[in-house]
Amino acid sequence: MNEPEGLRFRRLNRPQIITDSQEPRYKGTSTYSGKVFRVTLISVGGFLILPLLVIILILESPIHPEVFSLSEPPMLIGCYEPNLKLREAQRLYQDQLVGPESIANIGDVLYTGTADGKILKLDGRSVSVLARLGRPPCGSHDDEPTCGRPLGIRVGPNGTLFVADAYLGLFEVNPVTGHVTTLVQASQMVAGQRLSFINDLDVTQDGRKVYFTDSSSRWQRRDYLQLIMEATADGRVLEYDTVTRQVSVMMEGLRFPNGIQLLPDEESVLVTETTMARIRRVHVSGLNKGGMDTFIDNLPGFPDNVRRSSSGGYWVAMSAVRPNPGFSMLDFLSQRPWIKKLIFKLFSHDVLLKFVPRYSLVLELHESGVCVRSLHDPHGEVAAYVSEAHEHDGHLYLGSFRSPYLCRLDLRQV
């Protein structure tokens, strides 16, 4: 074999070297499967995301929130220092009532309005129905306007009960017979606006005047989360004259006016402005009638009802706090209305409630508005969704806008 033939032989039998860059013979099949997977994934993702985009971009939000400013929440130190004092409370009438929002007493007998439209009489261990303002059925979101929702309740100078129903109006109820007298119907117009969300009330010592809050001209009680998130200044303080039977506007332009309490001189009322985390003083008679100033600002929570304390000050109930240190969702959203709109496009009222932290807080304020002490129940383990603190005979009775019980706290123990 000559040299050229040997070279040709060696070239023909030279072993092939397989490198990492070479692709296997099933290249076409793998590429096809990958493409199918990617197309399927994109299709499924698009199928799921497209409806969401339609909701976000096309559907109109049920709320039209305004931008407003809240001061940085106060530090939870000093008088606001967290504690577990509300956990010393005792639950009463467990599962025998739902949502005892407000409480009044005649002697040792308690009265309250509940979520099923009833005025209940609580005498010792006995629970009985004193009156019903609306008509059944009750219990659902759609039933509330006809069933009624009694909120604020007070004892008048003649020993009768004055009741504010969110949907039906103002009433006077005989605590013995249960006879109901209508004072103000919610269907009537006052200064060109319908009474949409009657909330709390107080009565002068002579029984002549009844002052009450109308929390919104746009939203009803069943939509209170929408009212809080929208933050529009459409709430009012009103006066009903039991002699002339006239309703007058004392103050307007408030953001969710809620609880109301007459001051001792009866020339002013304290009004909790829930959305703004503050309490306002509205002058309803005297030289300053028609004026308003701030009683206390930048509270550590969002106030509900306000009631007198035996020390001459005031109890303020809060079912939601503004943690500092921590994160306050409502404070964060106050400057971001577009996020509020998105939230209400995506989630229902019931779903949103699950995201509200259950932190109960009750403050006792001095008559000057300075904090005296605070009572806490982090996570609402005993006292949840607190709406009112009513003091009687050394005890603090805690109302709730949705819990199935009433709480009683012995003030001598805390």
Side-chain angles (χ1 to χ4, degrees):
M1 178 182 300
N2 55 33
E3 183 63 23
E5 290 179 347
L7 289 173
R8 284 196 300 270
F9 180 80
R10 285 195 296 271
R11 290 192 187 103
L12 291 173
N13 293 279
R14 183 178 294 171
Q16 294 183 354
I17 300 174
I18 301 175
T19 65
D20 292 339
S21 63
Q22 290 180 307
E23 297 181 358
R25 295 179 180 179
Y26 50 85
K27 171 184 175 183
T29 304
S30 174
T31 302
Y32 175 77
S33 299
K35 288 181 178 179
V36 170
F37 175 77
R38 287 194 294 272
V39 169
T40 303
L41 182 62
I42 292 171
S43 299
V44 172
F47 178 78
L48 296 175
I49 294 174
L50 185 59
L52 182 61
L53 292 176
V54 171
I55 292 174
I56 294 174
L57 299 175
I58 298 179
L59 292 184
E60 184 179 357
S61 174
I63 64 172
H64 304 285
E66 296 182 358
V67 176
F68 67 99
S69 298
L70 290 171
S71 300
E72 181 181 352
M75 296 288 290
L76 295 182
I77 57 176
C79 186
Y80 299 148
E81 183 76 34
N83 56 61
L84 303 176
K85 293 181 178 180
L86 285 185
R87 291 188 184 173
E88 300 298 320
Q90 175 188 8
R91 289 184 177 181
L92 305 176
Y93 311 108
Q94 180 88 38
D95 298 323
Q96 298 182 63
L97 42 70
V98 179
E101 166 90 10
S102 182
I103 306 155
N105 71 282
I106 300 178
D108 290 331
V109 180
L110 302 177
Y111 298 87
T112 188
T114 52
D116 53 2
K118 298 173 183 175
I119 307 298
L120 297 183
K121 179 179 180 179
L122 311 176
D123 189 359
R125 296 184 178 181
S126 173
V127 178
S128 59
V129 178
L130 176 66
R132 180 186 285 277
L133 303 177
R135 64 179 187 276
C138 298
S140 74
H141 181 272
D142 294 334
D143 293 333
E144 270 202 16
T146 52
C147 171
R149 182 55 170 105
L151 296 178
I153 185 168
R154 299 279 191 165
V155 178
N158 58 353
T160 60
L161 300 172
F162 286 81
V163 181
D165 187 285
Y167 301 93
L168 305 178
L170 297 185
F171 300 89
E172 189 172 6
V173 181
N174 187 305
V176 178
T177 65
H179 176 73
V180 176
T181 302
T182 302
L183 303 178
V184 178
Q185 291 185 334
S187 59
Q188 76 179 67
M189 304 289 286
V190 178
Q193 293 184 9
R194 189 176 302 278
L195 302 175
S196 297
F197 186 173
I198 298 174
N199 201 322
D200 195 20
L201 80 168
D202 201 0
V203 188
T204 56
Q205 294 180 26
D206 61 5
R208 172 73 185 264
K209 301 290 182 65
V210 180
Y211 295 100
F212 63 103
T213 52
D214 184 23
S215 297
S216 173
S217 61
R218 171 171 161 78
W219 297 105
Q220 295 182 313
R221 194 221 74 90
R222 56 182 173 172
D223 301 316
Y224 66 88
L225 273 185
Q226 284 90 327
L227 171 57
I228 292 174
M229 296 290 270
E230 194 170 67
T232 49
D234 63 343
R236 302 181 293 177
V237 175
L238 305 170
E239 173 194 87
Y240 171 69
D241 190 311
T242 59
V243 176
T244 65
R245 300 184 180 180
Q246 297 296 311
V247 180
S248 305
V249 179
M250 296 289 102
M251 185 58 61
E252 56 188 355
L254 298 171
R255 300 181 193 270
F256 199 168
N258 198 330
I260 188 168
Q261 172 65 54
L262 274 160
L263 271 68
D265 61 7
E266 297 192 340
E267 291 190 354
S268 306
V269 292
L270 297 181
V271 180
T272 60
E273 197 173 7
T274 300
T275 302
M276 300 304 295
R278 66 187 176 191
I279 300 177
R280 306 282 261 172
R281 177 167 42 212
V282 178
H283 300 276
V284 295
S285 65
L287 295 176
N288 295 318
K289 182 178 180 179
M292 180 172 65
D293 53 63
T294 299
F295 181 70
I296 182 172
D297 197 12
N298 201 31
L299 288 164
F302 298 95
D304 199 326
N305 284 354
V306 53
R307 295 294 186 266
R308 294 295 302 272
S309 72
S310 59
S311 66
Y314 304 93
W315 293 109
V316 182
M318 306 178 191
S319 61
V321 299
R322 306 165 64 209
N324 188 7
F327 175 72
S328 172
M329 176 62 74
L330 289 179
D331 283 75
F332 173 77
L333 293 176
S334 65
Q335 297 289 321
R336 298 166 178 85
W338 65 272
I339 299 182
K340 294 182 181 181
K341 289 183 178 181
L342 178 60
I343 289 173
F344 274 89
K345 286 182 181 182
L346 299 178
F347 303 105
S348 68
H349 184 278
D350 292 336
V351 171
L352 289 174
L353 274 179
K354 296 178 181 179
F355 291 96
V356 178
R358 286 176 36 160
Y359 193 120
S360 296
L361 172 63
V362 174
L363 298 182
E364 183 178 13
L365 303 178
H366 187 265
E367 61 181 2
S368 63
V370 177
C371 178
V372 175
R373 57 174 161 170
S374 62
L375 312 172
H376 301 243
D377 183 359
H379 311 299
E381 292 187 8
V382 175
Y385 308 111
V386 175
S387 56
E388 180 178 301
H390 173 80
E391 186 176 348
H392 169 60
D393 193 25
H395 292 82
L396 203 59
Y397 290 86
L398 305 173
S400 172
F401 61 89
R402 64 181 305 195
S403 296
Y405 51 79
L406 197 66
C407 283
R408 181 178 63 194
L409 178 68
D410 189 340
L411 291 172
R412 294 165 294 189
Q413 303 299 319
V414 296

